């Protein structure tokens, strides 16, 4: 981006993955042991961390993670979503902003994720160096419309850290 006069900026990100049996499901850095199927992905398929990274980049008009980690490049096969998120966070800091709070919604039919809400919030907060209370985590089913699918939507508020 070019320099911005705004003290606050809003970012929005999404990610989706197809689910298939025999693969791990990881959401926000938390392995979902109860999952019967996991993400079909070029990377570890953590749709939460991918969507958070895209939200950070979008807030500063820095494009999206596919530009930094094209899935056509074999060098990025199996890349850790934590690494992708760390890169996005580093760019945000270079532009002298920091995330202040995050709201994320995971749409997944099964398993029930409610019992993991605090763990996912804690994990995402730690990666963003935020208090747990600044990460809101919501879950929705697709009402059976997309049983083999995980979808994540994320908003983030970025606050300027220096004039
Ligand atoms: O999407 P729906 O309105 O049917 O979700 C009902 C409840 O189920 C919500 O409270 C939501 O937090 C929870 N839920 C869950 N795990 C999911 C999907 C929904 O705990 N995978
Ligand atoms: Mg993804």
């Amino acid at each position: 981006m070019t320099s911005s006069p705004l003290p606050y900026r809003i970012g929005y990100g999404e990610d989706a993955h197809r689910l298939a049996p025999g693969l791990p499901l990881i959401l926000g850095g938390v392995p979902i042991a109860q999952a019967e199927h996991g993400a079909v992905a070029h990377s570890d398929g953590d749709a939460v961390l991918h969507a958070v990274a895209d939200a950070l980049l979008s807030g500063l008009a820095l494009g999206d993670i596919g530009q930094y980690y094209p899935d056509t490049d074999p060098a990025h096969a199996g890349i850790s979503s934590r690494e992708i998120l760390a890169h996005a966070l580093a760019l945000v800091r270079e532009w002298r902003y920091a995330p202040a709070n995050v709201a994320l919604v995971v749409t997944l039919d099964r398993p029930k994720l409610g019992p993991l809400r605090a763990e996912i919030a804690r994990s995402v907060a730690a990666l963003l160096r935020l208090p747990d209370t600044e990460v809101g985590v919501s879950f929705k089913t697709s009402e059976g419309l997309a049983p083999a699918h995980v979808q994540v939507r994320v908003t983030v508020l970025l606050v300027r850290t220096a004039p």
Side-chain angles (χ1 to χ4, degrees):
M1 71 166 191
T2 52
S3 289
S4 167
L6 295 178
Y8 301 103
R9 296 181 63 107
I10 291 171
Y12 179 77
E14 294 195 4
D15 195 30
H17 283 277
R18 208 152 49 78
L19 300 173
L23 294 169
L25 182 63
I26 305 172
L27 294 172
V30 176
I32 311 300
Q34 304 86 335
E36 298 148 11
H37 44 204
V40 177
H42 187 67
S43 69
D44 59 16
D46 189 328
V48 169
L49 297 190
H50 293 163
V52 172
D54 261 0
L56 292 174
L57 295 174
S58 91
L60 295 181
L62 294 173
D64 62 57
I65 57 176
Q67 292 176 256
Y68 300 88
Y69 299 95
D71 63 8
T72 47
D73 184 344
H76 301 137
I79 191 167
S80 152
S81 299
R82 290 167 188 266
E83 194 180 319
I84 292 173
L85 180 57
H87 185 199
L89 186 59
L91 289 172
V92 166
R93 289 175 177 275
E94 273 174 35
W95 284 100
R96 297 178 179 270
Y97 284 81
N101 81 302
V102 174
L104 69 92
V105 182
V106 179
T107 302
L108 179 73
D109 280 4
R110 283 183 303 139
K112 281 288 178 195
L113 294 171
L116 295 171
R117 193 187 313 269
E119 193 178 344
I120 292 171
R122 196 159 51 236
S123 173
V124 172
L127 292 169
L128 294 175
R129 293 175 234 159
L130 283 174
D132 303 359
T133 49
E134 305 308 340
V135 178
V137 179
S138 308
F139 304 118
K140 297 301 292 179
T141 68
S142 78
E143 293 283 349
L145 292 172
H149 187 252
V150 61
Q151 169 86 49
V152 181
R153 300 174 175 92
V154 177
T155 56
V156 62
L157 178 67
L158 302 175
V159 178
R160 199 162 55 191
T161 53

